Amino acid sequence: MKNFDVEHFRASEQTLLANRDTYFDFNLSNKELEKEFKTARKELAKFQNTLYAHNKYGVLICIQGMDTAGKDSLIREVFKSFNVRGVVVHSFKVPTSKELAHDYLWRHYIALPERGKFSVFNRTHYENVLVTRVHPEYILSENLPEINTISDINETFWEKRFKQINDFERHVAESGTIIFKFFLHLSKEEQRLRLLRRIALKEKNWKFSPGDLKERKLWDTYQEYYQDVLSKTSKPHAPWFIIPADNKNAARLTVAAILLNTLK
C-alpha cells in the first residue's frame, strides 16, 4: 500500500490509549478498502514462501482486544491465502488442568512458530496480566508458592509478571522469532452495537454469551489495564500496534499492511 506509515500505529511507553482513534478508514470507501486489502493479503501469502525457504525466522502474531473487537474474523481474512501448512492459529481459553500444572507461560512457549512458519495467538499470554488482573481470584487456580489468598496478589506480583513477559519475548526474539502484537482498539459504543447484533441476528446468536455483558460493565477497568500493558511491554523487539477496530475492513487492511511492510 502506497505511503503507508507503520509508525502511526505503533505504541510506546508514552502512548495514551484514550487519545488514540478507534475509527480509521484511510479516506477510502469500503470497496476501495477491500481491493487494497486483497492485494496486501496476496503479497503477504507470497512472502510466506520466502520465509519458509529462508528457514531462519518464525513469525509470532499476537491479537488482543475486547469482546466483539473482530479478532476471529480478522485472523480468518488476513491469512485466508496462506498455505495452511505454514500458519497455525492458537486460541487460548481457560487453562486446562495440565496447563495449570505448569507455569503460565508454558502453553504459549510450546505454541511458538517453527522456523519458516507463522503462529497466531488469538488472545495471548497477556491474558495473564489482563483478565487475571481484573479477576485476581483466577490466580489462585495456579497454585503458586506464597499466593494463598487474593490479598497476596499485590502490585509487586504484577510488576514481576510484566518483567517475566518482557524477558520471555526478548528471549524468543533473540532466538529468531519476529514478534507482532496487535491491540484491536474498539469504542464502547461500537461494542454495544455489535453485542446487539449478536442478539438480533439469528446467525450470530451462537456468539452471544451473558458473560459478555458482565465483562462490559468492567470496560473502564480493562481499558486501564490495557494501557498498562501497552506502556510497559511495547519494545523494539516486540512492538504493540494499536489498530482502530470500529471499521473491520480498515482494521484488516492495517494489520496486513503492517505485517507486509515490516517483514519485507
Side-chain angles (χ1 to χ4, degrees):
M1 187 177 180
K2 293 181 180 179
N3 303 317
F4 181 80
D5 183 12
V6 171
E7 296 307 311
H8 178 77
F9 303 96
R10 190 187 296 266
S12 71
E13 291 182 5
Q14 290 75 43
T15 295
L16 291 177
L17 189 55
N19 293 340
R20 300 296 285 261
D21 292 334
T22 61
Y23 183 90
F24 192 76
D25 61 11
F26 297 96
N27 292 317
L28 298 175
S29 67
N30 273 331
K31 188 174 182 179
E32 291 170 327
L33 285 170
E34 289 178 7
K35 182 179 179 181
E36 289 282 354
F37 172 60
K38 287 178 180 178
T39 299
R41 179 171 67 188
K42 185 182 294 185
E43 286 297 309
L44 192 58
K46 285 171 62 178
F47 180 84
Q48 178 193 22
N49 295 328
T50 303
L51 184 85
Y52 181 80
H54 191 228
N55 197 35
K56 285 281 188 179
Y57 297 97
V59 179
L60 172 62
I61 298 161
C62 300
I63 312 287
Q64 283 285 160
M66 297 291 287
D67 291 331
T68 77
K71 297 181 289 295
D72 292 344
S73 61
L74 182 143
I75 293 167
R76 181 186 68 240
E77 294 300 321
V78 169
F79 300 99
K80 198 172 190 176
S81 300
F82 270 50
N83 183 324
V84 295
R85 292 179 296 177
V87 59
V88 182
V89 178
H90 302 271
S91 296
F92 294 102
K93 307 295 185 182
V94 176
T96 64
S97 57
K98 181 175 182 178
E99 289 166 345
L100 286 171
H102 295 79
D103 72 272
Y104 71 95
L105 287 172
W106 176 79
R107 64 175 180 163
H108 304 286
Y109 196 95
I110 62 174
L112 289 172
E114 300 174 25
R115 300 191 195 284
K117 296 188 178 183
F118 288 70
S119 282
V120 183
F121 286 3
N122 183 0
R123 296 190 185 272
T124 71
H125 42 294
Y126 284 97
E127 294 289 284
N128 296 283
V129 287
L130 287 166
V131 173
T132 54
R133 203 170 177 192
V134 176
H135 301 284
E137 64 274 14
Y138 294 169
I139 293 291
L140 300 180
S141 300
E142 296 182 27
N143 203 26
L144 296 170
E146 301 181 5
I147 301 294
N148 300 305
T149 66
I150 291 177
S151 61
D152 295 325
I153 306 168
N154 53 27
E155 282 305 306
T156 300
F157 174 86
W158 296 116
E159 289 301 318
K160 185 184 293 185
R161 286 231 154 162
F162 280 121
K163 182 179 184 302
Q164 290 166 346
I165 288 173
N166 281 327
D167 289 344
F168 164 69
E169 291 178 348
R170 185 180 299 106
H171 168 66
V172 300
E174 290 173 352
S175 301
T177 299
I178 303 170
I179 303 172
F180 295 87
K181 299 181 295 192
F182 297 106
F183 171 59
L184 304 188
H185 189 27
L186 186 73
S187 68
K188 192 173 184 180
E189 173 61 13
E190 181 62 22
Q191 189 197 55
R192 183 183 75 85
L193 296 173
R194 291 183 186 182
L195 286 172
L196 287 174
R197 282 197 290 272
R198 287 184 177 184
I199 296 171
L201 300 178
K202 187 175 181 180
E203 65 270 21
K204 292 185 180 291
N205 287 169
W206 67 273
K207 289 186 174 183
F208 180 75
S209 166
D212 295 340
L213 301 181
K214 180 181 176 182
E215 293 299 286
R216 179 173 163 80
K217 292 179 181 179
L218 300 169
W219 178 276
D220 291 341
T221 304
Y222 273 106
Q223 295 299 301
E224 176 188 349
Y225 292 152
Y226 266 114
Q227 173 68 60
D228 227 14
V229 162
L230 294 169
S231 62
K232 291 179 178 177
T233 64
S234 191
K235 307 295 181 182
H237 60 273
W240 276 104
F241 296 95
I242 301 173
I243 310 300
D246 285 3
N247 183 324
K248 286 189 176 183
N249 286 334
R252 295 165 186 169
L253 173 58
T254 304
V255 169
I258 289 172
L259 289 171
L260 185 60
N261 279 263
T262 307
L263 291 171
K264 288 181 72 174

mmCIF file of all heavy atoms in Angstrom, residues 50-83:
data_model
loop_
_atom_site.group_PDB
_atom_site.id
_atom_site.type_symbol
_atom_site.label_atom_id
_atom_site.label_comp_id
_atom_site.label_asym_id
_atom_site.label_seq_id
_atom_site.Cartn_x
_atom_site.Cartn_y
_atom_site.Cartn_z
ATOM 1 N N THR A 50 8.831 -17.169 0.877
ATOM 2 C CA THR A 50 10.197 -16.686 1.080
ATOM 3 C C THR A 50 10.675 -17.002 2.493
ATOM 4 O O THR A 50 11.808 -17.450 2.697
ATOM 5 C CB THR A 50 10.264 -15.168 0.831
ATOM 6 O OG1 THR A 50 9.793 -14.896 -0.487
ATOM 7 C CG2 THR A 50 11.679 -14.646 0.997
ATOM 8 N N LEU A 51 9.805 -16.747 3.464
ATOM 9 C CA LEU A 51 10.148 -17.016 4.866
ATOM 10 C C LEU A 51 10.457 -18.502 5.068
ATOM 11 O O LEU A 51 11.431 -18.866 5.737
ATOM 12 C CB LEU A 51 8.989 -16.605 5.774
ATOM 13 C CG LEU A 51 9.252 -16.735 7.272
ATOM 14 C CD1 LEU A 51 9.952 -15.483 7.802
ATOM 15 C CD2 LEU A 51 7.937 -16.936 8.035
ATOM 16 N N TYR A 52 9.636 -19.354 4.447
ATOM 17 C CA TYR A 52 9.819 -20.796 4.582
ATOM 18 C C TYR A 52 11.137 -21.243 3.959
ATOM 19 O O TYR A 52 11.890 -22.030 4.544
ATOM 20 C CB TYR A 52 8.646 -21.531 3.941
ATOM 21 C CG TYR A 52 8.740 -23.037 4.059
ATOM 22 C CD1 TYR A 52 8.379 -23.675 5.248
ATOM 23 C CD2 TYR A 52 9.197 -23.815 3.004
ATOM 24 C CE1 TYR A 52 8.473 -25.055 5.377
ATOM 25 C CE2 TYR A 52 9.298 -25.190 3.124
ATOM 26 C CZ TYR A 52 8.939 -25.802 4.312
ATOM 27 O OH TYR A 52 9.046 -27.162 4.433
ATOM 28 N N ALA A 53 11.444 -20.713 2.778
ATOM 29 C CA ALA A 53 12.673 -21.097 2.085
ATOM 30 C C ALA A 53 13.913 -20.601 2.823
ATOM 31 O O ALA A 53 14.937 -21.285 2.872
ATOM 32 C CB ALA A 53 12.659 -20.540 0.658
ATOM 33 N N HIS A 54 13.805 -19.415 3.426
ATOM 34 C CA HIS A 54 14.940 -18.840 4.153
ATOM 35 C C HIS A 54 15.250 -19.656 5.411
ATOM 36 O O HIS A 54 16.414 -19.846 5.776
ATOM 37 C CB HIS A 54 14.615 -17.388 4.514
ATOM 38 C CG HIS A 54 15.775 -16.612 5.023
ATOM 39 N ND1 HIS A 54 15.708 -15.845 6.167
ATOM 40 C CD2 HIS A 54 17.034 -16.474 4.561
ATOM 41 C CE1 HIS A 54 16.879 -15.269 6.373
ATOM 42 N NE2 HIS A 54 17.703 -15.629 5.415
ATOM 43 N N ASN A 55 14.206 -20.121 6.111
ATOM 44 C CA ASN A 55 14.335 -21.034 7.252
ATOM 45 C C ASN A 55 15.205 -20.478 8.382
ATOM 46 O O ASN A 55 15.947 -21.208 9.028
ATOM 47 C CB ASN A 55 14.893 -22.390 6.787
ATOM 48 C CG ASN A 55 14.668 -23.480 7.817
ATOM 49 O OD1 ASN A 55 13.652 -23.484 8.511
ATOM 50 N ND2 ASN A 55 15.623 -24.392 7.939
ATOM 51 N N LYS A 56 15.135 -19.175 8.605
ATOM 52 C CA LYS A 56 15.883 -18.546 9.699
ATOM 53 C C LYS A 56 14.968 -17.987 10.783
ATOM 54 O O LYS A 56 15.352 -17.897 11.953
ATOM 55 C CB LYS A 56 16.745 -17.403 9.149
ATOM 56 C CG LYS A 56 17.987 -17.844 8.400
ATOM 57 C CD LYS A 56 19.085 -18.230 9.363
ATOM 58 C CE LYS A 56 20.389 -18.493 8.615
ATOM 59 N NZ LYS A 56 21.484 -18.846 9.553
ATOM 60 N N TYR A 57 13.771 -17.581 10.385
ATOM 61 C CA TYR A 57 12.872 -16.887 11.306
ATOM 62 C C TYR A 57 11.495 -17.549 11.345
ATOM 63 O O TYR A 57 11.021 -18.094 10.347
ATOM 64 C CB TYR A 57 12.676 -15.430 10.882
ATOM 65 C CG TYR A 57 13.936 -14.604 10.914
ATOM 66 C CD1 TYR A 57 14.675 -14.397 9.748
ATOM 67 C CD2 TYR A 57 14.390 -14.028 12.099
ATOM 68 C CE1 TYR A 57 15.837 -13.637 9.762
ATOM 69 C CE2 TYR A 57 15.544 -13.271 12.120
ATOM 70 C CZ TYR A 57 16.265 -13.078 10.954
ATOM 71 O OH TYR A 57 17.415 -12.334 10.977
ATOM 72 N N GLY A 58 10.865 -17.443 12.504
ATOM 73 C CA GLY A 58 9.441 -17.716 12.632
ATOM 74 C C GLY A 58 8.765 -16.393 12.932
ATOM 75 O O GLY A 58 9.407 -15.439 13.373
ATOM 76 N N VAL A 59 7.456 -16.312 12.698
ATOM 77 C CA VAL A 59 6.711 -15.075 12.955
ATOM 78 C C VAL A 59 5.592 -15.367 13.949
ATOM 79 O O VAL A 59 4.766 -16.260 13.723
ATOM 80 C CB VAL A 59 6.121 -14.486 11.656
ATOM 81 C CG1 VAL A 59 5.328 -13.214 11.960
ATOM 82 C CG2 VAL A 59 7.227 -14.195 10.648
ATOM 83 N N LEU A 60 5.583 -14.614 15.044
ATOM 84 C CA LEU A 60 4.544 -14.729 16.059
ATOM 85 C C LEU A 60 3.657 -13.490 15.989
ATOM 86 O O LEU A 60 4.144 -12.359 16.087
ATOM 87 C CB LEU A 60 5.159 -14.842 17.452
ATOM 88 C CG LEU A 60 4.170 -14.774 18.631
ATOM 89 C CD1 LEU A 60 3.175 -15.945 18.578
ATOM 90 C CD2 LEU A 60 4.907 -14.768 19.959
ATOM 91 N N ILE A 61 2.363 -13.713 15.814
ATOM 92 C CA ILE A 61 1.396 -12.616 15.725
ATOM 93 C C ILE A 61 0.409 -12.749 16.877
ATOM 94 O O ILE A 61 -0.303 -13.757 16.984
ATOM 95 C CB ILE A 61 0.667 -12.653 14.374
ATOM 96 C CG1 ILE A 61 1.690 -12.460 13.241
ATOM 97 C CG2 ILE A 61 -0.422 -11.598 14.304
ATOM 98 C CD1 ILE A 61 1.213 -12.916 11.904
ATOM 99 N N CYS A 62 0.388 -11.748 17.734
ATOM 100 C CA CYS A 62 -0.469 -11.759 18.919
ATOM 101 C C CYS A 62 -1.633 -10.796 18.711
ATOM 102 O O CYS A 62 -1.424 -9.633 18.365
ATOM 103 C CB CYS A 62 0.325 -11.340 20.149
ATOM 104 S SG CYS A 62 1.730 -12.408 20.529
ATOM 105 N N ILE A 63 -2.850 -11.282 18.936
ATOM 106 C CA ILE A 63 -4.054 -10.463 18.753
ATOM 107 C C ILE A 63 -4.791 -10.348 20.086
ATOM 108 O O ILE A 63 -5.180 -11.359 20.676
ATOM 109 C CB ILE A 63 -5.015 -11.073 17.716
ATOM 110 C CG1 ILE A 63 -4.274 -11.485 16.430
ATOM 111 C CG2 ILE A 63 -6.160 -10.118 17.427
ATOM 112 C CD1 ILE A 63 -3.833 -10.368 15.561
ATOM 113 N N GLN A 64 -4.970 -9.119 20.541
ATOM 114 C CA GLN A 64 -5.738 -8.863 21.760
ATOM 115 C C GLN A 64 -6.825 -7.835 21.461
ATOM 116 O O GLN A 64 -6.686 -7.032 20.539
ATOM 117 C CB GLN A 64 -4.834 -8.320 22.867
ATOM 118 C CG GLN A 64 -3.969 -9.353 23.554
ATOM 119 C CD GLN A 64 -4.712 -10.257 24.532
ATOM 120 O OE1 GLN A 64 -4.216 -11.342 24.858
ATOM 121 N NE2 GLN A 64 -5.872 -9.849 24.998
ATOM 122 N N GLY A 65 -7.872 -7.855 22.260
ATOM 123 C CA GLY A 65 -8.936 -6.872 22.107
ATOM 124 C C GLY A 65 -10.128 -7.243 22.959
ATOM 125 O O GLY A 65 -10.272 -8.391 23.390
ATOM 126 N N MET A 66 -10.979 -6.290 23.191
ATOM 127 C CA MET A 66 -12.198 -6.533 23.961
ATOM 128 C C MET A 66 -13.127 -7.464 23.186
ATOM 129 O O MET A 66 -12.963 -7.661 21.971
ATOM 130 C CB MET A 66 -12.901 -5.202 24.241
ATOM 131 C CG MET A 66 -12.089 -4.229 25.096
ATOM 132 S SD MET A 66 -11.883 -4.769 26.814
ATOM 133 C CE MET A 66 -13.536 -4.478 27.460
ATOM 134 N N ASP A 67 -14.108 -8.029 23.857
ATOM 135 C CA ASP A 67 -15.104 -8.864 23.188
ATOM 136 C C ASP A 67 -15.733 -8.082 22.040
ATOM 137 O O ASP A 67 -16.024 -6.889 22.178
ATOM 138 C CB ASP A 67 -16.200 -9.280 24.174
ATOM 139 C CG ASP A 67 -15.694 -10.249 25.238
ATOM 140 O OD1 ASP A 67 -14.749 -11.003 24.935
ATOM 141 O OD2 ASP A 67 -16.226 -10.234 26.368
ATOM 142 N N THR A 68 -15.941 -8.740 20.923
ATOM 143 C CA THR A 68 -16.532 -8.218 19.679
ATOM 144 C C THR A 68 -15.565 -7.337 18.885
ATOM 145 O O THR A 68 -15.962 -6.731 17.879
ATOM 146 C CB THR A 68 -17.851 -7.419 19.896
ATOM 147 O OG1 THR A 68 -17.547 -6.111 20.404
ATOM 148 C CG2 THR A 68 -18.806 -8.133 20.817
ATOM 149 N N ALA A 69 -14.299 -7.263 19.259
ATOM 150 C CA ALA A 69 -13.356 -6.390 18.547
ATOM 151 C C ALA A 69 -13.055 -6.891 17.137
ATOM 152 O O ALA A 69 -12.511 -6.147 16.319
ATOM 153 C CB ALA A 69 -12.062 -6.246 19.338
ATOM 154 N N GLY A 70 -13.387 -8.142 16.852
ATOM 155 C CA GLY A 70 -13.199 -8.671 15.497
ATOM 156 C C GLY A 70 -11.971 -9.535 15.335
ATOM 157 O O GLY A 70 -11.451 -9.688 14.220
ATOM 158 N N LYS A 71 -11.503 -10.146 16.422
ATOM 159 C CA LYS A 71 -10.271 -10.944 16.377
ATOM 160 C C LYS A 71 -10.413 -12.140 15.432
ATOM 161 O O LYS A 71 -9.544 -12.373 14.578
ATOM 162 C CB LYS A 71 -9.914 -11.420 17.799
ATOM 163 C CG LYS A 71 -9.602 -10.298 18.771
ATOM 164 C CD LYS A 71 -9.236 -10.817 20.151
ATOM 165 C CE LYS A 71 -10.414 -11.412 20.904
ATOM 166 N NZ LYS A 71 -11.474 -10.397 21.233
ATOM 167 N N ASP A 72 -11.485 -12.906 15.592
ATOM 168 C CA ASP A 72 -11.655 -14.131 14.803
ATOM 169 C C ASP A 72 -11.740 -13.835 13.309
ATOM 170 O O ASP A 72 -11.066 -14.473 12.489
ATOM 171 C CB ASP A 72 -12.921 -14.880 15.238
ATOM 172 C CG ASP A 72 -12.802 -15.462 16.637
ATOM 173 O OD1 ASP A 72 -11.673 -15.563 17.146
ATOM 174 O OD2 ASP A 72 -13.846 -15.810 17.224
ATOM 175 N N SER A 73 -12.569 -12.871 12.942
ATOM 176 C CA SER A 73 -12.756 -12.576 11.521
ATOM 177 C C SER A 73 -11.499 -11.956 10.924
ATOM 178 O O SER A 73 -11.175 -12.211 9.757
ATOM 179 C CB SER A 73 -13.959 -11.654 11.318
ATOM 180 O OG SER A 73 -13.785 -10.415 11.990
ATOM 181 N N LEU A 74 -10.776 -11.169 11.695
ATOM 182 C CA LEU A 74 -9.529 -10.590 11.193
ATOM 183 C C LEU A 74 -8.518 -11.679 10.873
ATOM 184 O O LEU A 74 -7.898 -11.681 9.807
ATOM 185 C CB LEU A 74 -8.957 -9.602 12.215
ATOM 186 C CG LEU A 74 -7.671 -8.874 11.806
ATOM 187 C CD1 LEU A 74 -7.679 -7.430 12.315
ATOM 188 C CD2 LEU A 74 -6.421 -9.582 12.329
ATOM 189 N N ILE A 75 -8.367 -12.629 11.783
ATOM 190 C CA ILE A 75 -7.435 -13.736 11.558
ATOM 191 C C ILE A 75 -7.857 -14.544 10.334
ATOM 192 O O ILE A 75 -7.038 -14.885 9.478
ATOM 193 C CB ILE A 75 -7.349 -14.632 12.811
ATOM 194 C CG1 ILE A 75 -6.685 -13.862 13.965
ATOM 195 C CG2 ILE A 75 -6.589 -15.920 12.512
ATOM 196 C CD1 ILE A 75 -6.824 -14.536 15.310
ATOM 197 N N ARG A 76 -9.138 -14.836 10.235
ATOM 198 C CA ARG A 76 -9.641 -15.618 9.093
ATOM 199 C C ARG A 76 -9.345 -14.918 7.773
ATOM 200 O O ARG A 76 -8.892 -15.550 6.810
ATOM 201 C CB ARG A 76 -11.150 -15.825 9.249
ATOM 202 C CG ARG A 76 -11.775 -16.656 8.129
ATOM 203 C CD ARG A 76 -13.284 -16.719 8.251
ATOM 204 N NE ARG A 76 -13.912 -15.423 8.013
ATOM 205 C CZ ARG A 76 -14.660 -14.776 8.897
ATOM 206 N NH1 ARG A 76 -14.878 -15.284 10.096
ATOM 207 N NH2 ARG A 76 -15.193 -13.609 8.595
ATOM 208 N N GLU A 77 -9.572 -13.622 7.709
ATOM 209 C CA GLU A 77 -9.430 -12.896 6.448
ATOM 210 C C GLU A 77 -7.971 -12.601 6.100
ATOM 211 O O GLU A 77 -7.567 -12.737 4.941
ATOM 212 C CB GLU A 77 -10.237 -11.592 6.502
ATOM 213 C CG GLU A 77 -11.740 -11.796 6.574
ATOM 214 C CD GLU A 77 -12.272 -12.564 5.376
ATOM 215 O OE1 GLU A 77 -11.790 -12.331 4.261
ATOM 216 O OE2 GLU A 77 -13.169 -13.407 5.562
ATOM 217 N N VAL A 78 -7.165 -12.197 7.066
ATOM 218 C CA VAL A 78 -5.774 -11.834 6.780
ATOM 219 C C VAL A 78 -4.974 -13.033 6.277
ATOM 220 O O VAL A 78 -4.146 -12.912 5.370
ATOM 221 C CB VAL A 78 -5.098 -11.213 8.020
ATOM 222 C CG1 VAL A 78 -3.583 -11.073 7.811
ATOM 223 C CG2 VAL A 78 -5.701 -9.845 8.327
ATOM 224 N N PHE A 79 -5.241 -14.226 6.824
ATOM 225 C CA PHE A 79 -4.435 -15.401 6.486
ATOM 226 C C PHE A 79 -5.145 -16.358 5.524
ATOM 227 O O PHE A 79 -4.743 -17.507 5.365
ATOM 228 C CB PHE A 79 -4.012 -16.119 7.774
ATOM 229 C CG PHE A 79 -3.203 -15.244 8.678
ATOM 230 C CD1 PHE A 79 -3.797 -14.604 9.752
ATOM 231 C CD2 PHE A 79 -1.866 -15.002 8.417
ATOM 232 C CE1 PHE A 79 -3.061 -13.760 10.572
ATOM 233 C CE2 PHE A 79 -1.113 -14.167 9.230
ATOM 234 C CZ PHE A 79 -1.719 -13.535 10.313
ATOM 235 N N LYS A 80 -6.168 -15.854 4.880
ATOM 236 C CA LYS A 80 -7.004 -16.674 4.001
ATOM 237 C C LYS A 80 -6.234 -17.279 2.830
ATOM 238 O O LYS A 80 -6.523 -18.388 2.382
ATOM 239 C CB LYS A 80 -8.154 -15.819 3.472
ATOM 240 C CG LYS A 80 -9.330 -16.579 2.900
ATOM 241 C CD LYS A 80 -10.470 -15.605 2.612
ATOM 242 C CE LYS A 80 -11.750 -16.348 2.281
ATOM 243 N NZ LYS A 80 -12.875 -15.378 2.109
ATOM 244 N N SER A 81 -5.234 -16.560 2.312
ATOM 245 C CA SER A 81 -4.500 -17.013 1.129
ATOM 246 C C SER A 81 -3.234 -17.791 1.476
ATOM 247 O O SER A 81 -2.500 -18.206 0.582
ATOM 248 C CB SER A 81 -4.137 -15.805 0.251
ATOM 249 O OG SER A 81 -5.294 -15.128 -0.178
ATOM 250 N N PHE A 82 -2.967 -17.991 2.763
ATOM 251 C CA PHE A 82 -1.760 -18.691 3.183
ATOM 252 C C PHE A 82 -1.843 -20.183 2.870
ATOM 253 O O PHE A 82 -2.924 -20.774 2.828
ATOM 254 C CB PHE A 82 -1.561 -18.538 4.694
ATOM 255 C CG PHE A 82 -0.734 -17.337 5.086
ATOM 256 C CD1 PHE A 82 -1.023 -16.083 4.594
ATOM 257 C CD2 PHE A 82 0.320 -17.466 5.964
ATOM 258 C CE1 PHE A 82 -0.272 -14.972 4.953
ATOM 259 C CE2 PHE A 82 1.081 -16.371 6.337
ATOM 260 C CZ PHE A 82 0.794 -15.115 5.834
ATOM 261 N N ASN A 83 -0.678 -20.771 2.664
ATOM 262 C CA ASN A 83 -0.576 -22.228 2.669
ATOM 263 C C ASN A 83 -0.855 -22.680 4.101
ATOM 264 O O ASN A 83 -0.155 -22.270 5.036
ATOM 265 C CB ASN A 83 0.839 -22.641 2.241
ATOM 266 C CG ASN A 83 0.999 -24.143 2.147
ATOM 267 O OD1 ASN A 83 0.436 -24.906 2.937
ATOM 268 N ND2 ASN A 83 1.793 -24.588 1.192
#
